[in-house]
């Protein structure tokens, strides 16, 4: 299937068509896929409830589009190319024929455990081929996968398992990540003490470490999967049946389970992959994300496989055994499209050019970035040092909720401007609104980024709580989807994403609600209250700055900090560790008891002279203490 737009003129024409006749546009795109039976209506929607349905009543299975179709035409081509954490270990190549067989075996194993269509399966796994196989095995039989990033703590894992009432967990004994080894199975065991719904735990051997075992509940992958039949009929799925749940943080409460459905997600993941990366037959494509995030779902697994691509999966980290690891892999596998995050680019940039220059990067055709705004310096380095000044950069803006890339260049076919994501993909109708929700139609302006019209992979609900979905995304501005981001649109209509305007912070491309981290900190027995804000961080984009009121004035500040950090690691995971902790005796609250975060942000940003009006504070004197004690 060739879905690719091949020039900017073609993009402009397609874009116009997609806005003038969206249903016709999307049904032409959807015709490129294999459906078991066709749709009637293309789209039914309102953003009030919200209720969005695409390709109504069509039947399909996404794995037939990711696998079976390619087995017939390119069975021997590598589907997944896996690179180990250890540079000297052999890589693994799974052809489309082999991947199809492995997915069917895993699907049959799940069936033998009693898994049925609609059941929720939690995947808490390393970046090994079995993770991709498990994702596809769930999809094969209509089970809903919920992948939890294997850096989350037992508590965070338990919360996600319970929210979705999963009945199976797939995990491994442990994982390797750079020089570290993490015992995943023991984290699962700890989590499951709080989870009643789990009946089976399927364990893939990875590190070979000793693990605990619960007879009757736990089974080795290698004992039950390999012996299964290599064929498994694909479950008939309705277009609007859920495909997966993926948890993400918002400005309030616990993380929400974003729900994506089979038909629309498939159409958009495949379409956006083909166009943004301009993948050509035979190319080697590499996205460095973890499958625990939406980027890995859409652009390691589904998008590439829908297009019959060779997609690389990397178990390790960019800086181990040294900071040349990414570039060494690019040279080794002659990677053509490379997709990573600004935080990785900045971290590698800070290691100097000597770790880049030894490697031949001439295979690169497209460089991608995702997850947070990319600063000018990082963009320039990526363009010059990695792209040698000639390789196009696609800065791809999107979200867990959008399912696929929304605003981005299309390979080299779009005008490029450093730090700008650029133009919306066909079918995507962004707009900027002011704080009252009035659309700002002129160019050369800043505003709140909304979407006026649905696209096929828009989230359908938040699992188990549709009202929360409505309130979070559809209640702020009339009849629009609100992204939570602020953006600038330049004179030419190109978009530049400024960042979150809500209480969400983005740390190394990982999304946290400030309330979520505060709740974790408050679990510490010595803490009375806390307030968390983001501040600019050279490598991570944003760092976490926590203001903490202790139970009693601490004697040993370092010990108190350690205890707070340990609590956050226990409640969420190491990725949410505060970078800075400042002990305070009070927080700047208004008379109505609301914390004035603006003040805390300014202090954390190192701009205490720009606090603005503090006259409405209940006790303005706390401000002096906070400014004086800034860390
Ligand atoms: C938030 C979504 C979608 C993949 C990874 C993150 C920020 C994402 C960009 C970009 C500026 C970006 C936004 C967005 N973001 N991509 N290219 N430029 N900001 O997914 O965890 O759902 O986070 O990440 O703030 O709202 P996510």
């Amino acid at each position: 299937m060739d879905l690719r737009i091949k020039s900017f003129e073609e993009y402009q024409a397609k874009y116009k068509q997609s806005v003038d006749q969206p249903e016709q546009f999307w049904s032409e795109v959807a015709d490129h896929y294999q459906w078991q039976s066709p749709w009637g209506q293309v789209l039914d929607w309102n953003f009030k409830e919200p209720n969005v349905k695409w390709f109504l009543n069509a039947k399909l299975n996404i794995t037939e589009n990711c696998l079976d179709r390619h087995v017939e035409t390119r069975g021997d081509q590598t589907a997944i190319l896996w690179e180990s954490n250890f540079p000297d270990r052999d890589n693994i190549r799974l052809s489309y024929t082999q991947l199809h067989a492995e997915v069917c075996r895993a699907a049959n194993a799940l069936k033998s455990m009693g898994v049925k269509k609609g059941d929720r399966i939690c995947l808490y796994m390393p970046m090994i081929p079995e993770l991709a196989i498990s994702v596809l095995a769930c999809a094969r039989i209509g089970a809903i996968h919920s992948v939890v990033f294997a850096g989350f703590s037992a508590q965070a894992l338990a919360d996600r398992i319970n929210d979705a009432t999963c009945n199976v967990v797939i995990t491994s004994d442990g994982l390797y990540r750079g020089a570290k080894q993490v015992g995943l199975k023991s984290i699962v065991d700890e989590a499951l003490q709080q989870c009643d719904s789990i009946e089976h735990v399927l364990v893939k051997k990875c590190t070979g470490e000793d693990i605990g075992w619960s007879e009757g509940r736990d089974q080795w992958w290698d004992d039950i999967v390999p012996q299964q039949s290599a064929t498994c009929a694909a479950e008939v799925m309705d277009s609007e049946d859920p495909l997966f749940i993926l948890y993400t943080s918002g400005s309030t409460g616990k993380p929400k389970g974003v729900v994506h459905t089979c038909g629309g997600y498939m159409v958009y993941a495949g379409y956006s992959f083909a166009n943004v990366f301009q993948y050509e037959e035979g190319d080697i494509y590499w996205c460095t994300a973890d499958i625990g995030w939406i980027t890995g779902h859409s652009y390691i697994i589904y998008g590439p496989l829908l297009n019959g691509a060779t997609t690389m999966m990397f178990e390790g980290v960019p800086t181990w055994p040294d900071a040349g690891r990414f570039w060494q892999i690019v040279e080794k596998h002659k990677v053509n499209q490379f997709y990573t995050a600004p935080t990785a680019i900045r971290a590698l940039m800070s290691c100097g050019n000597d770790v880049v220059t030894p490697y031949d990067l001439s295979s690169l055709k497209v460089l991608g970035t995702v997850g947070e705004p990319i600063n000018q310096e990082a963009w320039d380095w990526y363009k010059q040092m990695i792209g040698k000044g000639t390789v196009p950069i696609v800065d791809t803006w999107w979200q867990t909720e959008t399912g696929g890339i929304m605003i981005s260049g299309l390979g080299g076919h779009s005008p490029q401007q450093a730090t700008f994501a650029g133009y919306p993909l066909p079918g995507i109708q962004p707009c900027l609104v002011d704080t009252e929700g009035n659309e700002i139609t002129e160019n050369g302006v800043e505003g709140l980024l909304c979407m006026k019209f649905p696209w096929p992979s828009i989230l359908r609900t938040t699992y188990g709580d549709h009202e929360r979905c409505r309130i979070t995304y559809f209640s702020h501005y009339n009849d629009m989807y609100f992204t939570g981001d602020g953006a600038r649109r330049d004179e030419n209509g190109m978009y530049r994403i400024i960042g979150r305007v809500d209480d969400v912070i983005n740390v190394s491309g990982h999304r946290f609600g400030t309330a979520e981290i505060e709740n974790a900190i408050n679990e510490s027995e010595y803490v009375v209250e806390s307030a968390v804000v983001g501040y600019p961080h050279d490598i991570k984009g944003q760092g976490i700055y926590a203001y903490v009121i202790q139970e009693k004035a601490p004697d040993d500040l370092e010990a108190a900090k350690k205890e707070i950090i340990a609590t956050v690691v226990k409640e969420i995971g190491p990725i949410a560790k505060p970078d800075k902790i400042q002990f305070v005796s009070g927080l700047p609250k208004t008379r109505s008891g609301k914390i004035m975060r603006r003040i805390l942000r300014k202090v954390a940003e190192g701009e205490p002279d720009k606090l603005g009006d503090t006259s409405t504070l209940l006790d303005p004197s706390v401000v002096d203490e906070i400014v004086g004690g800034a860390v």
Side-chain angles (χ1 to χ4, degrees):
M1 69 178 185
D2 195 356
L3 291 163
R4 280 173 304 158
I5 288 167
K6 305 273 174 46
S7 69
F8 193 61
E9 292 65 43
E10 192 190 343
Y11 159 76
Q12 287 171 313
K14 278 270 190 288
Y15 188 79
K16 186 169 183 316
Q17 188 212 348
S18 77
V19 174
D20 294 345
Q21 301 170 304
E23 300 192 16
Q24 193 190 331
F25 172 82
W26 284 115
S27 73
E28 283 169 18
V29 172
D31 274 336
H32 286 80
Y33 297 80
Q34 217 173 62
W35 302 79
Q36 295 165 349
S37 65
W39 52 93
Q41 211 178 325
V42 177
L43 170 64
D44 178 26
W45 73 286
N46 73 69
F47 278 170
K48 281 251 163 341
E49 296 176 58
N51 169 39
V52 182
K53 294 191 170 83
W54 281 92
F55 312 111
L56 281 76
N57 299 319
K59 304 292 181 244
L60 75 149
N61 187 296
I62 195 168
T63 68
E64 290 185 324
N65 286 274
C66 287
L67 301 170
D68 302 60
R69 199 169 41 141
H70 306 309
V71 168
E72 290 159 23
T73 52
R74 49 163 69 87
D76 294 335
Q77 185 204 306
T78 302
I80 294 181
L81 168 53
W82 179 80
E83 173 74 23
S84 162
N85 182 55
F86 303 96
D88 53 355
R89 285 207 187 154
D90 287 345
N91 39 256
I92 295 174
R93 286 170 193 272
L94 289 173
S95 69
Y96 272 94
T97 301
Q98 288 167 324
L99 181 61
H100 179 272
E102 293 304 323
V103 168
C104 288
R105 286 195 183 96
N108 285 325
L110 290 174
K111 275 185 165 175
S112 77
M113 296 159 77
V115 175
K116 307 176 304 297
K117 175 176 176 176
D119 288 352
R120 277 82 54 214
I121 311 296
C122 176
L123 276 47
Y124 186 71
M125 298 177 77
M127 281 289 287
I128 54 177
E130 286 74 13
L131 171 50
I133 291 167
S134 299
V135 162
L136 294 163
C138 290
R140 187 75 175 177
I141 60 174
I144 302 167
H145 55 78
S146 169
V147 184
V148 177
F149 172 62
F152 279 117
S153 68
Q155 185 59 51
L157 174 62
D159 290 345
R160 286 157 177 76
I161 289 172
N162 287 336
D163 187 77
T165 53
C166 297
N167 40 21
V168 174
V169 183
I170 309 180
T171 189
S172 69
D173 47 358
L175 65 70
Y176 300 116
R177 195 177 279 143
K180 287 196 204 116
Q181 189 170 328
V182 182
L184 289 191
K185 175 62 163 57
S186 68
I187 298 173
V188 170
D189 289 341
E190 189 188 334
L192 294 192
Q193 291 176 2
Q194 297 181 48
C195 306
D196 296 331
S197 56
I198 296 294
E199 291 157 23
H200 300 282
V201 178
L202 189 56
V203 189
K204 172 67 196 169
K205 185 175 263 188
C206 180
T207 56
E209 65 198 74
D210 287 339
I211 56 172
W213 201 253
S214 168
E215 223 38 74
R217 185 195 72 181
D218 299 350
Q219 270 169 303
W220 283 110
W221 174 288
D222 298 317
D223 284 346
I224 69 160
V225 177
Q227 74 209 35
Q228 301 287 331
S229 155
T231 56
C232 172
E235 185 74 38
V236 178
M237 303 298 284
D238 186 87
S239 218
E240 285 299 327
D241 280 336
L243 173 64
F244 65 84
I245 303 170
L246 186 59
Y247 284 84
T248 191
S249 299
S251 40
T252 56
K254 295 226 167 196
K256 311 177 272 288
V258 168
V259 175
H260 285 290
T261 57
C262 295
Y265 176 82
M266 171 176 81
V267 168
Y268 198 74
Y271 180 74
S272 53
F273 174 81
N275 278 294
V276 170
F277 298 103
Q278 294 287 315
Y279 182 90
E280 290 172 286
E281 198 71 44
D283 282 351
I284 306 291
Y285 162 86
W286 180 21
C287 166
T288 69
D290 192 286
I291 289 172
W293 312 115
I294 190 70
T295 308
H297 283 59
S298 301
Y299 300 112
I300 295 178
I301 300 183
Y302 289 116
L305 296 180
L306 286 165
N307 284 278
T310 296
T311 178
M312 202 164 88
M313 229 179 127
F314 175 45
E315 186 186 26
V317 297
T319 47
W320 190 85
D322 61 61
R325 183 70 167 124
F326 271 5
W327 320 124
Q328 179 245 330
I329 296 174
V330 168
E331 176 184 278
K332 176 175 168 191
H333 295 297
K334 301 195 169 50
V335 171
N336 301 109
Q337 290 86 11
F338 177 74
Y339 190 27
T340 197
T343 187
I345 297 169
R346 288 190 297 265
L348 296 176
M349 180 171 75
S350 75
C351 298
N353 295 340
D354 292 350
V355 289
V356 184
T357 40
Y359 300 106
D360 175 6
L361 306 180
S362 61
S363 56
L364 290 168
K365 298 198 282 193
V366 176
L367 293 172
T369 152
V370 63
E372 41 171 328
I374 183 165
N375 49 310
Q376 177 88 40
E377 202 191 349
W379 197 96
D380 290 341
W381 185 82
Y382 202 28
K383 180 84 187 175
Q384 296 308 326
M385 235 4 246
I386 307 305
K388 311 299 171 198
T390 59
V391 181
I393 292 182
V394 289
D395 178 357
T396 67
W397 175 85
W398 59 299
Q399 309 178 293
T400 304
E401 295 87 341
T402 70
I405 296 167
M406 303 284 280
I407 303 180
S408 168
L410 308 180
H413 300 317
S414 310
Q416 272 176 75
Q417 197 176 333
T419 77
F420 277 73
Y423 293 105
L425 264 67
I428 305 306
Q429 299 189 30
C431 70
L432 298 178
V433 302
D434 64 23
T435 44
E436 264 88 65
N438 306 308
E439 184 174 351
I440 315 168
T441 51
E442 58 271 30
N443 282 346
V445 290
E446 272 180 25
L448 303 164
L449 182 62
C450 291
M451 298 291 152
K452 286 202 267 197
F453 196 83
W455 59 99
S457 61
I458 185 174
L459 87 161
R460 300 303 196 264
T461 190
T462 47
Y463 192 79
D465 194 350
H466 194 63
E467 180 61 3
R468 189 162 176 210
C469 173
R470 187 188 70 77
I471 291 173
T472 310
Y473 307 104
F474 299 94
S475 69
H476 295 262
Y477 306 109
N478 253 349
D479 284 329
M480 283 192 260
Y481 166 85
F482 175 47
T483 64
D485 281 315
R488 167 168 187 78
R489 188 169 55 221
D490 76 359
E491 296 302 337
N492 303 315
M494 290 178 81
Y495 286 88
R496 171 179 206 232
I497 310 303
I498 298 165
R500 302 290 304 199
V501 295
D502 52 8
D503 288 322
V504 168
I505 51 181
N506 191 326
V507 184
S508 302
H510 302 149
R511 197 169 141 180
F512 299 104
T514 49
E516 181 188 4
I517 302 174
E518 288 160 9
N519 289 339
I521 292 174
N522 297 349
E523 287 296 314
S524 162
E525 55 179 314
Y526 305 109
V527 173
V528 178
E529 196 181 357
S530 62
V532 164
V533 296
Y535 71 96
H537 186 288
D538 284 349
I539 304 288
K540 299 178 175 187
Q542 281 189 294
I544 301 173
Y545 194 122
Y547 297 87
V548 175
I549 305 177
Q550 293 256 92
E551 183 76 42
K552 61 176 174 56
D555 309 326
D556 183 349
L557 286 182
E558 284 316 305
K561 281 184 187 169
K562 272 200 188 121
E563 205 274 334
I564 289 168
I565 288 171
T567 309
V568 173
V569 169
K570 176 169 172 287
E571 293 294 317
I572 306 176
I575 49 179
K577 274 186 204 169
D579 298 276
K580 294 183 176 181
I581 297 175
Q582 179 181 352
F583 294 107
V584 294
S585 61
L587 291 166
K589 289 191 180 170
T590 60
R591 289 193 186 89
S592 59
K594 211 172 161 314
I595 296 173
M596 226 190 242
R597 286 174 184 277
R598 170 172 58 83
I599 293 178
L600 299 178
R601 268 188 225 113
K602 283 291 167 209
V603 173
E605 285 164 8
E607 296 189 325
D609 46 331
K610 296 188 184 153
L611 297 184
D613 181 20
T614 57
S615 62
T616 58
L617 287 177
L618 186 62
D619 174 11
S621 72
V622 297
V623 174
D624 294 336
E625 182 208 318
I626 287 174
V627 170
V631 289

